[in-house]
């Protein structure tokens, strides 16, 4: 579905050049569930934004469904985002003045994909049901818990019926119980056939994805090394509540 | 959900800020609409008033400045006089129907220790040359009766039957003129012969109003008179109207420029307020881009927000101006050199629509830059915050 070949991304910070990505090769198949891990600053977010057509790489080629993205104009990327891609962020990014219902319907406004009021309504209500917020449809974000807000964000990512969801640390601001809920939600979307790419610092959740991609200094570390890397808890920030026992439990299960 | 709801929702998020910005626009639109309405009424009132005075032209002393000549009808004290003999010659001319002498001057009022503005005229001509007056009491004959302007009567607490002394003579108030809202309210009207006597200026006149029998021959009549009667100058009512409008013009131009400047200032306020709103919503704009908004979509959302705000301000301004018409009119009468009688400000729907449209255009101009800026926000950096 998505192929990356030797993707690089440079930023200039003042006079200094930062190589956020230093040649990434990656292929994502339809229906895959991939977790991206790696230490802070290793380029996970950068990679996710390039995959999601929000950002353009400095070098290398990327194809989506056989189409080379580098040749496409901005308007085509916008259409791609509307049709195929859903985003979930660590900070939820809901609009404060809008109800749960309206927040979820927001992407329909941009995609012009709405099919008349009634049908949209049914679609949004069924998404609200899917994330278990039936009784919250008219609530505003400030009346919701963090976990509930993230469920709204997942429903919003789903409203245009995308093929792939990119989630950047979707559980980064949530406690264990809520993280679990969000992960289960992503898992259930995966079983329905969606592709999921999730950046996470949580090795517990990362280990439960179909495939783990480990980044280090803007490069993908080979899969076995990735596993070892996880096993050692290496490079992960200490504040991420890493317990070696957790990792072992999951790796052995 | 529609784009407009999103814009509306954004404005409601900072109620106070939106409200203050709106008040700024509303205030400047109030000023603009009031001035334009007043100008409309002014021109109409002037035309009405001149149509009502059944006079076709004024005869004034030669060399009298044009503007002053125009004000004569409404009471200007001129330094020069024309002679009654001249008036008689005009009376004798062909196709002249009525010649009404006028003498306008200040007369010492010894009892009250001040100068009164006194307007001498032929009392029998009043119904014709001052058709707009509603006189309480009666219009005196050419003896010792006076008519008082509403302000004079109210200020001095004078009633019908009261007596006033001017020089050697004593007069009786015969009638009081209902409030006209114009300079007419500030005069004491007496028979022209009596005023000439007080001034010891037998035969001296400030001007004479002339009504012709055949208005279609107006041009020829005035040309003939100018050629045959020496020492006079003829000012037609059209010229009077034009020079009164000119007198009011500088005030009009000044007030309009103030209104336009006020609108421009409030437009800067709008721009500032919207720029602040964008700055605060950078992350949100980044998110919208990520979930499928194009740059044009973002531009549209911000522009609609601006237009919504300015349109609301414009409509509030029109409402305020309409509700406060009385107060505004009172104020404008103070500052304008001459204002016809009657109510000046009338609600004109076309003018109101025009004002709102103008505000919208200004609003779009003010919203253009913030919208463009918002549409250029880099989504990646915005999301990272
Ligand atoms: N706009 C930018 N300008 C300059 N440097 C940047 C910019 N964005 C990212 N970088 C740099 O690129 C590198 C990769 O950043 P990225 O955000 O992808 O890391 P990450 O793996 O997502 O980190 P974290 O786990 O902390 O979210 C970092 O060194 C970062 O400082
Ligand atoms: Mg990141």
């Amino acid at each position: 579905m998505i192929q990356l070949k030797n993707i690089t991304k440079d930023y200039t910070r003042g006079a200094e050049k930062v190589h956020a990505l230093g040649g990434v090769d990656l292929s994502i198949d339809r229906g895959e569930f991939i977790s991206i891990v790696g230490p802070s600053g290793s380029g996970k977010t950068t990679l996710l934004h390039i995959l999601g057509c929000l950002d353009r790489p400095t070098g290398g080629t990327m194809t989506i469904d056989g189409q080379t993205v580098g040749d496409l104009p901005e308007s085509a990327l916008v259409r791609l985002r509307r049709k195929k891609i859903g985003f979930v962020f660590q900070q939820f990014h809901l609009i404060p003045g809008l109800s749960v219902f309206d927040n979820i319907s927001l992407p329909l406004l941009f995609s012009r994909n709405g099919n008349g009021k009634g049908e949209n309504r049914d679609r949004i209500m069924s998404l609200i049901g899917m994330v278990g917020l039936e009784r919250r449809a008219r609530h505003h974000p400030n009346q919701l818990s963090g976990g509930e807000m993230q469920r709204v964000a997942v429903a919003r990512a789903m409203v245009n019926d995308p093929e792939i969801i990119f989630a950047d640390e979707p559980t980064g601001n949530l406690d264990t119980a809520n993280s679990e809920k969000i992960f289960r939600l992503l898992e259930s979307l995966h079983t329905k056939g969606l592709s999921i790419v999730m950046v996470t610092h949580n090795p517990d959740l990362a280990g439960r994805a179909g495939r783990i991609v480990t980044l280090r200094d803007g490069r993908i570390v080979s899969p076995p090394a990735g596993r070892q890397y996880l096993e050692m808890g290496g490079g992960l920030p200490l504040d991420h509540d890493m317990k070696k026992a957790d990792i072992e439990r999951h790796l052995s299960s | 959900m529609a784009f407009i709801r999103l814009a509306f929702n954004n404005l409601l998020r900072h109620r106070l800020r939106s409200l203050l910005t709106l008040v700024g626009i509303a205030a400047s639109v109030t000023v603009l609409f009031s001035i334009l309405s007043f100008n409309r009424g002014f021109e109409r009132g002037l035309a009405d008033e001149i149509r009502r005075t059944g006079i076709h032209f004024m005869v004034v002393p030669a060399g009298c400045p044009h503007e002053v000549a125009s004000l004569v009808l409404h009471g200007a004290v001129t330094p020069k006089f024309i002679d009654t003999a001249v008036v008689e010659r005009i009376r004798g001319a062909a196709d002249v129907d009525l010649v009404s002498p006028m003498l306008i001057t200040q007369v010492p009022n010894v009892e009250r220790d001040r100068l009164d503005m006194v307007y001498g005229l032929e009392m029998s001509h009043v119904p014709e040359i001052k058709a707009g007056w509603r006189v309480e009491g009666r219009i005196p004959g050419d003896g010792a009766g006076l008519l008082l302007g509403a302000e004079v009567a109210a200020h001095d607490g004078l009633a019908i039957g009261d007596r006033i002394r001017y020089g050697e003579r004593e007069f009786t108030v015969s009638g009081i003129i209902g409030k006209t809202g114009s300079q007419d309210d500030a005069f004491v009207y007496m028979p022209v012969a009596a005023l000439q006597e007080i001034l010891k200026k037998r035969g001296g006149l400030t001007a004479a109003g002339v009504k012709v029998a055949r208005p279609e021959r107006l041009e020829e009549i005035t040309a003939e008179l100018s050629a045959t009667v020496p020492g006079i100058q003829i000012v037609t009512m059209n010229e009077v109207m034009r020079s009164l409008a000119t007198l009011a013009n500088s005030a009009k131009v000044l007030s309009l420029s103030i209104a336009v400047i006020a609108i421009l200032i409030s437009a800067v306020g709008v721009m500032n307020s919207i720029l602040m709103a964008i700055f605060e919503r950078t992350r949100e704009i980044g998110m919208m881009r990520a979930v499928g908004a194009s740059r044009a979509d973002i531009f549209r959302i911000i522009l609609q927000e601006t237009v919504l705000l300015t349109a609301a301000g414009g409509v509030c301004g029109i409402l305020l101006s309409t509700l406060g018409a009385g107060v505004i009119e009172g104020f404008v009468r103070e500052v304008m050199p001459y204002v016809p009688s009657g109510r000046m400000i009338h609600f004109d729907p076309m003018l109101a629509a025009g004002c709102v449209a103008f505000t919208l255009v200004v609003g779009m101009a003010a919203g253009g830059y913030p919208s463009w800026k918002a549409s250029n926000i880099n989504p990646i950096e915005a999301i990272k915050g």
Side-chain angles (χ1 to χ4, degrees):
Chain A
M1 182 186 191
I2 304 181
Q3 273 80 38
L4 301 185
K5 262 208 193 81
N6 198 25
I7 290 289
T8 58
K9 180 72 188 181
D10 298 336
Y11 289 113
T12 41
R13 199 187 288 145
E16 171 194 16
K17 257 223 164 100
V18 183
H19 302 290
L21 293 177
V24 171
D25 295 305
L26 181 65
S27 167
I28 298 171
D29 294 331
R30 197 169 294 277
E32 263 201 293
F33 190 156
I34 297 177
S35 63
I36 301 179
V37 297
S40 187
S42 58
K44 305 181 295 295
T45 298
T46 305
L47 178 60
L48 202 72
H49 285 165
I50 288 174
L51 285 168
C53 299
L54 263 184
D55 203 356
R56 289 180 189 268
T58 311
T61 51
M62 168 168 152
T63 56
I64 295 185
D65 295 331
Q67 205 165 22
T68 308
V69 172
D71 303 338
L72 298 175
E74 170 67 22
S75 59
L77 296 188
V78 170
R79 275 198 298 279
L80 259 174
R81 283 208 293 277
R82 287 174 182 165
K83 242 172 75 185
K84 300 193 173 174
I85 295 167
F87 267 104
V88 179
F89 311 96
Q90 181 176 355
Q91 292 97 340
F92 322 134
H93 287 313
L94 302 182
I95 296 184
L98 297 181
S99 67
V100 165
F101 184 95
D102 288 335
N103 263 291
I104 294 174
S105 72
L106 187 69
L108 285 180
L109 181 68
F110 303 128
S111 67
R112 283 86 173 164
N113 258 352
N115 302 313
K117 256 198 159 140
E119 220 170 299
N120 283 349
R121 199 185 168 74
D122 293 348
R123 164 145 194 80
I124 293 162
M125 287 317 289
S126 83
L127 285 171
I128 290 177
M130 179 192 86
V131 299
L133 292 172
E134 292 91 341
R135 292 160 65 194
R136 299 267 191 215
R138 290 284 146 219
H139 284 65
H140 283 226
N142 60 1
Q143 299 167 301
L144 302 179
S145 74
E148 288 168 330
M149 285 197 262
Q150 196 61 301
R151 274 139 71 191
V152 175
V154 172
R156 178 180 65 193
M158 288 297 296
V159 76
N160 272 326
D161 203 11
E163 294 173 11
I164 186 162
I165 289 205
F166 295 105
D168 195 353
E169 300 188 44
T171 63
N173 281 349
L174 302 178
D175 59 22
T176 321
N178 276 306
S179 296
E180 184 62 29
K181 270 192 191 161
I182 292 297
F183 187 80
R184 291 246 170 103
L185 199 53
L186 293 174
E187 258 182 341
S188 75
L189 297 178
H190 174 234
T191 51
K192 282 180 198 159
L194 264 86
S195 316
I196 312 278
V197 179
M198 175 183 74
V199 169
T200 184
H201 280 294
N202 185 332
D204 174 2
L205 301 179
R208 287 157 67 186
R211 177 151 66 112
I212 303 168
V213 171
T214 307
L215 278 178
R216 192 165 214 177
D217 296 331
R219 283 171 205 279
I220 293 178
V221 190
S222 60
R227 208 147 238 274
Q228 275 166 16
Y229 172 83
L230 253 188
E231 240 167 278
M232 299 178 319
L236 289 176
L238 292 171
D239 58 348
H240 268 276
D241 199 25
M242 273 285 308
K243 292 204 188 70
K244 195 135 197 294
D246 284 345
I247 301 169
E248 278 166 0
R249 186 159 45 82
H250 276 287
L251 290 177
S252 59
S253 66
Chain B
M1 199 176 52
F3 275 97
I4 195 79
R5 252 196 70 202
L6 202 56
F8 191 65
N9 176 66
N10 287 336
L11 289 175
L12 285 186
R13 264 152 79 179
H14 292 279
R15 275 158 224 253
L16 185 63
R17 187 167 68 201
S18 300
L19 189 75
L20 288 177
T21 314
L22 190 141
V23 166
I25 306 162
S28 52
V29 172
T30 304
V31 173
L32 179 73
F33 184 59
S34 301
I35 289 173
L36 290 176
S37 297
F38 190 91
N39 287 349
R40 280 273 167 105
F42 183 91
E43 272 145 34
R44 202 172 22 216
L46 203 58
D48 273 3
E49 190 167 275
I50 284 178
R51 203 157 10 85
R52 272 206 309 263
T53 65
I55 283 175
H56 293 111
F57 60 87
M58 302 284 291
V59 177
V60 293
C64 178
H66 225 261
E67 271 81 22
V68 179
S70 301
L71 282 178
V72 161
L73 190 62
H74 302 278
V77 179
T78 57
K80 284 190 171 176
F81 294 90
I82 49 174
D83 201 77
T84 315
V86 171
V87 172
E88 290 311 322
R89 280 184 70 175
I90 299 170
R91 255 192 199 129
D95 287 326
V96 167
D97 189 24
L98 174 85
V99 180
S100 187
M102 298 166 186
L103 176 55
I104 297 149
T105 185
Q106 292 177 315
V107 177
N109 182 335
V110 182
E111 286 159 24
R112 294 186 194 265
D113 192 22
R114 60 155 197 236
L115 291 171
D116 280 356
M117 300 285 292
V118 181
Y119 197 131
L121 73 176
E122 207 76 66
M123 283 295 175
S124 56
H125 293 168
V126 165
E128 199 149 5
I129 62 170
K130 294 288 187 184
W133 284 3
R134 286 165 288 110
V135 178
E136 188 194 325
R138 60 179 192 84
I139 297 170
D142 287 340
L146 293 180
L147 279 177
L148 297 185
E151 268 168 34
V152 179
H155 184 262
D156 292 348
L158 290 168
I160 293 166
D162 286 349
R163 284 160 194 284
I164 308 177
R165 281 195 77 79
Y166 288 114
E168 318 277 86
R169 294 192 52 167
E170 194 173 58
F171 295 86
T172 309
V173 177
S174 311
I176 293 171
I177 303 153
K179 199 165 175 53
T180 63
S182 71
Q183 280 81 345
D184 285 1
D185 294 345
F187 280 89
V188 172
Y189 298 87
M190 73 168 63
V192 65
L195 186 54
Q196 285 173 333
E197 198 180 306
I198 292 170
L199 293 181
K200 302 189 171 60
K201 246 190 194 22
R202 288 210 165 271
L205 291 175
T206 308
V210 179
K211 189 182 169 194
V212 298
R214 295 168 59 192
E216 69 279 5
R217 282 203 61 233
L218 188 60
E219 257 178 60
E220 292 126 70
I221 297 169
T222 53
E224 268 167 44
L225 286 177
S226 302
T228 55
V229 184
I232 62 160
Q233 182 182 336
I234 290 176
V235 187
T236 66
M237 278 316 184
N238 277 340
E239 288 169 323
V240 169
M241 197 149 76
R242 226 173 300 131
S243 43
L244 284 179
T246 313
L247 272 180
N249 228 2
S250 54
K252 249 199 271 188
V253 168
L254 183 70
S255 54
L256 266 183
S257 8
I258 289 171
V260 168
I261 288 170
I263 285 196
L264 291 183
I265 290 173
S266 62
V268 172
V270 170
M271 194 190 276
N272 180 46
S273 154
I274 299 287
L275 277 175
M276 263 166 84
I278 290 169
F279 182 72
E280 290 162 1
R281 290 208 307 267
T282 305
R283 285 157 158 254
E284 189 176 306
I285 290 167
M287 174 279 286
M288 292 200 276
R289 291 292 299 279
V291 304
S294 64
R295 286 184 45 182
D297 289 334
I298 302 293
F299 188 93
R300 180 169 165 194
I301 290 170
I302 306 300
L303 193 65
Q304 279 191 354
E305 214 172 303
T306 323
V307 168
L308 205 60
L309 189 62
T310 43
V315 171
C316 286
I318 301 286
L319 283 178
L320 270 177
S321 163
T322 309
L323 294 177
V327 180
I328 294 161
E329 182 157 340
F331 172 75
V332 182
R333 276 185 187 282
E334 294 279 304
V335 299
M336 295 279 257
Y338 163 78
V339 175
S341 56
R343 207 159 65 84
M344 291 294 102
I345 300 184
H346 293 275
F347 182 79
D348 179 346
M350 284 310 289
L351 194 61
C355 274
V356 173
F358 175 68
T359 320
L360 281 185
V361 170
V362 172
M364 281 198 199
Y369 173 66
S371 306
W372 176 80
K373 208 171 149 86
S375 72
N376 271 328
I377 286 175
N378 180 345
I380 307 144
E381 301 194 355
I383 292 166
K384 283 187 193 159

